[in-house]
Amino acid sequence: MADTAQLSSVLGNEVIARIERLRLAGSNRFTDRTRGDRITGRGGSSIEFADYRDYQHGDDIRGVDWNIFARLGKPYLKLYRQEQERHVTILIDTSASMGFGTKLHRARQFAAACAIMGLIGGERVSIYLAGHEPRQVQRLGPVRGRPSLRRVLAFLEDVSSGGAVAIDQAVDAMLARHHGRGLCVVLSDFLTEHDPKRLSGALFAAGLETWAVQILDPIELDPSIEGDQRLVDSETGAHLDVSGAGGLLGLYQEHLASISDELATACKGRGGRAMQLSAGEDFTTQLFDRWRRAGWVR
Amino acid sequence: MEFLTPSHAWWAALAVPVIVVYFLKLKRPRLTVPSLVLWARVMQDQRVNSPFQRFRRHLLLLLQLLLLLALVLAATQPVSRGDVAGSGHLPVLIDVSASMAASDSTGRSRLDEAKEQVAALIDGLAGDRQIALVAVGARARRLTGFTDNARVLHAALDALAVDETGADLGAALRLAQAMARSAAVSDVILYSDGNVSLDRALELPFSVDYRLVGPAAANIGITAVRARRALDGDWEVLVVVRAVGAVGSGTVRVVQHGRALGSQNLTLDNGDNRRLLFRLPAAALGMVSIELRSDGIDSLASDNLAYLTLPKARALRVQLGESMEAWRRALQAHQELDLVRADVAADLAIVHSADVTPAPVTVSVGSIPKAVADMLDRRDAGTGVVDWNHASPLLRHAGLGEVLFARSVLFAPGMDEASLEGRGWRIAVHGENGPLALEQRRGETVHYAWLIDLDFSTLPYRVAFPVMVANAVQEARTRAGLGEVAAVRTGVVTAGDLPAGSSVAVRGPGVELDALPVDAEGRLGGIAASRVGLYQLSGDGFERELGVALLDEFETSLLRNEELQLGTTAATASGDDNPGDWPWWRPLAALALGLLLVEWWWYQRPAGGWR
């Protein structure tokens, strides 16, 4: 009875309601020229005052502040903030490695949350699923407004993992079909051989602020393996024989931290941001606490 | 280091199938991970940083190979040789004389120390070595034959106890010589405090590794007990007490039937040899015990007790041959002396024939014993006395230097003094060309044989003659227990004055013998009395007590000889180094077991167990 009342299996109604009160933060550097709800700078046509400037020949006379003119005898043009639309792009890595544990589910939850915040915030939202086949993406949108909420949630219901497409290839495939500036939330484990700088650079060049969310399973964050093991890659099926794995965990942690640091550095270098999350942690804690504290949402 | 079974090194070839099977059977558990990217980086980094990664990757194989190596090495039986070189058979002589019972402040005796060292020797016995244990007491006893059975050797060693006797090293070495005839013996180990006697030099076919045991110790003990009748008939008992080390004071008591007949206190310093004289009444006949109680340190208990049997007084029975007037006149000067017929048992016999010994002390005059008749020839040529055995009881204080003989005796061609000794006879008086008198000691009897009738000499007219007769009487009195009585010492003892032809049972400390035959002269010999104490001799209608004591000055002195003279060579005491072999197979086997446990633990350890 209660299940049938849920909008989605991805997020509960209460969580959706809480998410609706949040907005995605981020800079306003990347916005579409189309009018939107995001106030970006002076020279716009919104109702929010921005500044004055001297009237110049050719300016629309309707912009003159007649009260100032009456007081000072000189015409000054009244400027308003520009309200532009931001395109919230969400890329979910659906390669096989994301199907490990609850990583893909957590990616769907964050995708849904970002989409909800974008739709409620009057922004255009596009969702890409990449990972099954190279240069192939599944796409939803762009969509806008609350009426698209059910459609977005329904789209995320059917996301499944599979394939062995690296995250940088997925980004390339997405950018090949994407139009619009804004931000791009990349939900992946980033456990592929790729160059984080190239990834963030490509998104930056496409006018997208990179939000890299590295979702890892607890067993990836803190593996507890010992002895001689044959490790099998869930994506490629390749194997690697490891002896005395217990003694290598220190090195493992070092390399894991190194990958996260490289990703964060690459994103920040292009005005973006990155965060590592555990799929085993509570979603609401991550979203309403960590994201809020980190300034990702407000 | 030597390998006793180097052929077992072929077992090392098992390494090949171990390696093959390891790699064939190496079945790593498969673990699916989201991505190998991290692990690939880790492995690449780790290979670069750790040159021993190859070993770590196959630690189980490494452990298995080490286990195999340890087992193969153990199978080849590597041995670190001790100080005793060579292999084969090794007689081990262990001194069990009375001095080996000397204990230190912890109560640990010299024999205990020797047994510990021998036990260590047995435990370290290499596979190619066999040991025979020999106890060295008043006689040598072979405890075991040559064996490498540690259990048998330990059992024999555990049963070993101190004999309260002296140590006859010569007998033990002769036994080792006999053992060397049937087995290859290049070394003999002797564990002793050096307080041993060697009657004559030996030519040993082996070297003696002498291991000195036991520290120096303080002791006080009785070394001699004698008694003789005084002119008034009372007994004068002489007790000699010897002290070594820092001793102190003590008390000597003479006890009979639980009643003290005399007691004297004494204070002794190191090396003192105190003579104590006790005067006992003439009626004090039978067994008396002499007890020494020390107020200071006394390392040896067996020399604190002695026994003396005081016999009834009687006349000495002398059998004298016919036409021996000079001897008769000389004998008439002695009191308490009965001349008896030839068919009566005598204490002293002076006869013409050299082939009969009717008494414990026999003096034959004018004939050559048949046993040596082929070695000697009698000549009518005169001769003088060249030399004589001054230590002979018969000739003590007798000056024979100017005695002349109208006849003489020559050695037969090819014969000499050594030939006589080979038949048990020693020369008592040397003439110019050969012996004039011989002496033979056999058991409890002694036979002095003048080879020329003394009527053809000037001896009866010399002072030496009555002196010689007095010596003979005195020795006969002593042997008959009439003049001077000596305490019986431990060892093989003889009891006299028993019913001739009867059988006797002997009970005493460590001795239980039944139906021992008494000879026709009433003597029972061959009683192995190796412990101090009273021995009960019982037979049909009679019962006697025989007291046996240590009475050995050397044993009481607890002398520690650093060097033993063994014939032409000397054995010097060696240090504390281990004469035994040290087999490596035990630690190697332990190492293999340890490796097995480590391998098992490594293989079975839980995931995450290191963390």
Side-chain angles (χ1 to χ4, degrees):
Chain A
M1 193 77 162
D3 290 342
T4 55
Q6 296 289 327
L7 282 174
S8 168
S9 64
V10 179
L11 294 174
N13 290 352
E14 290 183 2
V15 177
I16 292 174
R18 290 181 65 186
I19 293 172
E20 286 177 352
R21 293 194 289 273
L22 296 176
R23 294 293 180 271
L24 292 169
S27 70
N28 295 323
R29 292 169 56 191
F30 304 100
T31 51
D32 284 341
R33 293 297 179 188
T34 54
R35 180 182 173 85
D37 291 342
R38 184 156 293 271
I39 298 169
T40 59
R42 294 176 299 181
S45 57
S46 68
I47 60 173
E48 190 170 344
F49 171 75
D51 201 356
Y52 291 101
R53 71 171 172 82
D54 291 342
Y55 176 79
Q56 292 180 348
H57 181 73
D59 286 340
D60 189 352
I61 198 170
R62 289 178 296 181
V64 173
D65 189 336
W66 298 110
N67 291 329
I68 296 297
F69 180 76
R71 195 178 301 160
L72 300 177
K74 281 184 70 175
Y76 286 94
L77 205 63
K78 191 175 183 180
L79 300 178
Y80 294 90
R81 288 191 178 275
Q82 188 179 16
E83 290 184 348
Q84 291 184 345
E85 186 180 62
R86 188 173 61 172
H87 197 146
V88 176
T89 308
I90 301 167
L91 172 61
I92 302 177
D93 177 9
T94 59
S95 62
S97 65
M98 288 296 288
F100 201 87
T102 59
K103 290 197 297 183
L104 184 62
H105 179 66
R106 182 53 48 91
R108 290 160 58 201
Q109 286 179 315
F110 273 102
C114 292
I116 292 169
M117 287 184 282
L119 293 173
I120 300 300
E123 295 167 323
R124 285 200 294 173
V125 174
S126 296
I127 302 176
Y128 293 90
L129 306 178
H132 284 82
E133 297 291 337
R135 294 184 294 277
Q136 296 287 327
V137 292
Q138 281 183 271
R139 178 183 179 185
L140 172 67
V143 295
R144 184 187 298 170
R146 179 181 287 271
S148 302
L149 186 57
R150 283 186 178 275
R151 189 178 164 198
V152 167
L153 292 176
F155 179 76
L156 292 175
E157 291 281 351
D158 298 330
V159 176
S160 63
S161 62
V165 177
I167 188 61
D168 52 347
Q169 294 175 338
V171 169
D172 290 343
M174 181 200 77
L175 291 179
R177 298 185 58 185
H178 182 73
H179 298 286
R181 297 160 60 85
L183 69 86
C184 179
V185 181
V186 183
L187 299 164
S188 172
D189 54 11
F190 294 96
L191 292 181
T192 55
E193 288 294 348
H194 68 279
D195 183 3
K197 289 182 179 177
R198 179 184 170 278
L199 186 147
S200 62
L203 291 172
F204 180 81
L208 294 172
E209 178 185 343
T210 307
W211 287 19
V213 181
Q214 186 181 28
I215 301 172
L216 297 174
D217 192 77
I219 202 169
E220 291 174 302
L221 289 167
D222 193 13
S224 59
I225 61 174
E226 284 294 333
D228 300 338
Q229 301 280 352
R230 169 159 289 184
L231 303 181
V232 181
D233 193 307
S234 63
E235 288 185 2
T236 64
H239 66 266
L240 179 67
D241 290 338
V242 177
S243 298
L248 302 177
L249 293 178
L251 273 177
Y252 178 92
Q253 294 292 348
E254 289 179 14
H255 282 281
L256 181 60
S258 171
I259 283 180
S260 298
D261 290 344
E262 288 175 10
L263 182 63
T265 302
C267 292
K268 286 178 182 175
R270 293 296 187 177
R273 57 187 68 181
M275 181 180 285
Q276 186 187 76
L277 296 176
S278 169
E281 198 177 350
D282 181 51
F283 168 71
T284 57
T285 302
Q286 290 176 337
L287 179 64
F288 299 116
D289 186 32
R290 291 190 59 187
W291 274 37
R292 177 174 281 175
R293 288 176 187 276
W296 288 43
V297 298
R298 61 172 185 264
Chain B
M1 180 183 292
E2 296 178 17
F3 294 91
L4 301 182
T5 53
S7 59
H8 287 187
W10 284 105
W11 289 106
L14 284 174
V16 174
V18 167
I19 294 172
V20 171
V21 169
Y22 176 82
F23 283 108
L24 287 178
K25 294 290 185 182
L26 183 61
K27 193 171 184 180
R28 295 169 180 270
R30 293 170 65 90
L31 180 64
T32 301
V33 295
S35 172
L36 288 178
V37 172
L38 266 175
W39 284 107
R41 291 188 184 188
V42 167
M43 294 303 294
Q44 185 178 7
D45 194 18
Q46 196 248 358
R47 281 168 190 157
V48 171
N49 291 332
S50 175
F52 299 104
Q53 173 58 15
R54 284 171 184 266
F55 294 103
R56 296 186 61 184
R57 287 180 64 188
H58 302 293
L59 186 60
L60 279 179
L61 176 62
L62 184 65
L63 288 172
Q64 288 170 9
L65 290 178
L66 286 175
L67 174 63
L68 178 64
L69 178 64
L71 289 175
V72 169
L73 280 176
T76 56
Q77 296 193 45
V79 171
S80 291
R81 290 296 187 187
D83 301 331
V84 178
S87 59
H89 302 86
L90 181 66
V92 177
L93 314 182
I94 307 169
D95 183 1
V96 294
S97 63
S99 59
M100 291 293 284
S103 56
D104 57 16
S105 57
T106 63
R108 180 166 167 263
S109 70
R110 293 176 176 180
L111 183 63
D112 292 338
E113 182 182 339
K115 288 166 76 171
E116 287 174 11
Q117 294 188 27
V118 175
L121 180 69
I122 294 170
D123 291 336
L125 198 63
D128 62 341
R129 184 100 75 186
Q130 291 189 332
I131 282 180
L133 298 181
V134 175
V136 185
R139 56 196 176 94
R141 286 180 288 131
R142 192 163 77 168
L143 304 176
T144 68
F146 284 113
T147 179
D148 56 359
N149 189 329
R151 192 167 55 83
V152 171
L153 292 168
H154 276 300
L157 189 64
D158 293 341
L160 195 59
V162 169
D163 283 352
E164 291 169 344
T165 63
D168 187 355
L169 179 61
L173 291 175
R174 283 191 291 276
L175 178 58
Q177 273 183 317
M179 296 165 80
R181 292 191 195 101
S182 58
V185 174
S186 58
D187 293 278
V188 169
I189 301 182
L190 169 64
Y191 289 92
S192 173
D193 56 1
N195 204 341
V196 293
S197 63
L198 190 63
D199 52 357
R200 59 189 171 96
L202 295 172
E203 288 291 334
L204 300 177
F206 43 73
S207 62
V208 177
D209 185 358
Y210 171 34
R211 303 278 159 174
L212 182 62
V213 295
N219 185 40
I220 181 171
I222 301 169
T223 58
V225 174
R226 289 179 177 277
R228 66 180 180 185
R229 280 191 181 276
L231 293 176
D232 57 2
D234 286 350
W235 289 100
E236 290 179 339
V237 178
L238 177 68
V239 178
V240 182
V241 179
R242 181 178 170 83
V244 290
V247 182
S249 59
T251 305
V252 176
R253 296 169 69 235
V254 179
V255 178
Q256 189 176 47
H257 306 307
R259 188 168 64 89
L261 301 180
S263 175
Q264 292 187 37
N265 296 325
L266 71 167
T267 302
L268 298 169
D269 290 329
N270 181 24
D272 276 359
N273 219 5
R274 185 71 55 84
R275 294 169 178 271
L276 305 176
L277 188 64
F278 293 87
R279 194 172 185 86
L280 306 183
L285 302 175
M287 181 75 68
V288 294
S289 60
I290 298 92
E291 302 168 1
L292 169 63
R293 290 182 182 173
S294 171
D295 299 330
I297 302 172
D298 189 7
S299 300
L300 206 58
S302 59
D303 60 358
N304 295 340
L305 183 63
Y307 299 95
L308 195 62
T309 302
L310 303 177
K312 292 179 181 177
R314 65 171 173 83
L316 183 72
R317 295 188 287 267
V318 180
Q319 179 186 338
L320 186 64
E322 296 178 357
S323 306
M324 303 182 83
E325 290 306 318
W327 291 88
R328 187 183 302 275
R329 284 195 300 274
L331 288 172
Q332 286 175 351
H334 295 271
Q335 304 292 324
E336 297 183 356
L337 190 145
D338 283 344
L339 293 178
V340 297
R341 298 192 309 271
D343 57 345
V344 176
D347 302 310
L348 170 64
I350 302 172
V351 293
H352 287 293
S353 172
D355 299 315
V356 293
T357 53
V361 178
T362 302
V363 180
S364 63
V365 183
S367 65
I368 297 175
K370 286 182 179 176
V372 294
D374 57 328
M375 298 180 176
L376 302 171
D377 290 327
R378 190 174 292 162
R379 291 286 186 271
D380 290 335
T383 184
V385 174
V386 176
D387 192 14
W388 65 95
N389 182 6
H390 295 257
S392 172
L394 182 70
L395 302 176
R396 278 180 298 188
H397 314 299
L400 302 179
E402 296 180 359
V403 177
L404 298 174
F405 287 81
R407 294 176 180 174
S408 60
V409 175
L410 303 177
F411 277 115
M415 299 297 169
D416 57 10
E417 186 175 358
S419 305
L420 289 174
E421 289 184 356
R423 296 190 184 178
W425 289 86
R426 298 179 62 188
I427 298 179
V429 180
H430 293 265
E432 294 172 356
N433 301 311
L436 296 174
L438 301 179
E439 174 182 335
Q440 183 191 46
R441 294 182 178 277
R442 189 164 57 190
E444 294 297 311
T445 65
V446 59
H447 181 187
Y448 301 102
W450 281 101
L451 306 179
I452 300 171
D453 193 339
L454 296 185
D455 292 341
F456 296 93
S457 73
T458 60
L459 181 58
Y461 308 101
R462 312 294 302 183
V463 177
F465 185 74
V467 172
M468 180 183 69
V469 173
N471 285 339
V473 170
Q474 183 61 35
E475 186 173 9
R477 285 187 190 278
T478 301
R479 289 182 176 272
L482 299 177
E484 186 173 296
V485 184
V488 180
R489 299 174 57 179
T490 51
V492 179
V493 300
T494 300
D497 287 340
L498 297 171
S502 64
S503 63
V504 175
V506 180
R507 298 285 184 274
V511 175
E512 284 192 12
L513 300 171
D514 291 317
L516 296 179
V518 178
D519 65 13
E521 295 169 358
R523 286 192 295 267
L524 174 64
I527 304 172
S530 60
R531 305 282 297 277
V532 173
L534 292 174
Y535 292 76
Q536 302 290 334
L537 280 64
S538 56
D540 188 14
F542 72 95
E543 190 163 340
R544 288 261 308 272
E545 266 188 342
L546 179 66
V548 178
L550 176 60
L551 302 175
D552 190 313
E553 189 174 354
F554 286 111
E555 298 297 325
T556 295
S557 70
L558 301 182
L559 192 65
R560 293 177 81 250
N561 276 329
E562 299 279 345
E563 184 176 286
L564 297 178
Q565 193 65 37
L566 307 172
T568 56
T569 61
T572 304
S574 52
D576 297 330
D577 42 355
N578 182 14
D581 304 323
W582 203 86
W584 283 88
W585 72 267
R586 288 192 186 94
L588 285 169
L591 174 65
L593 178 62
L595 286 170
L596 188 65
L597 292 175
V598 169
E599 184 185 357
W600 178 84
W601 172 73
W602 180 267
Y603 190 75
Q604 298 291 337
R605 73 196 188 288
W610 290 104
R611 307 176 57 196

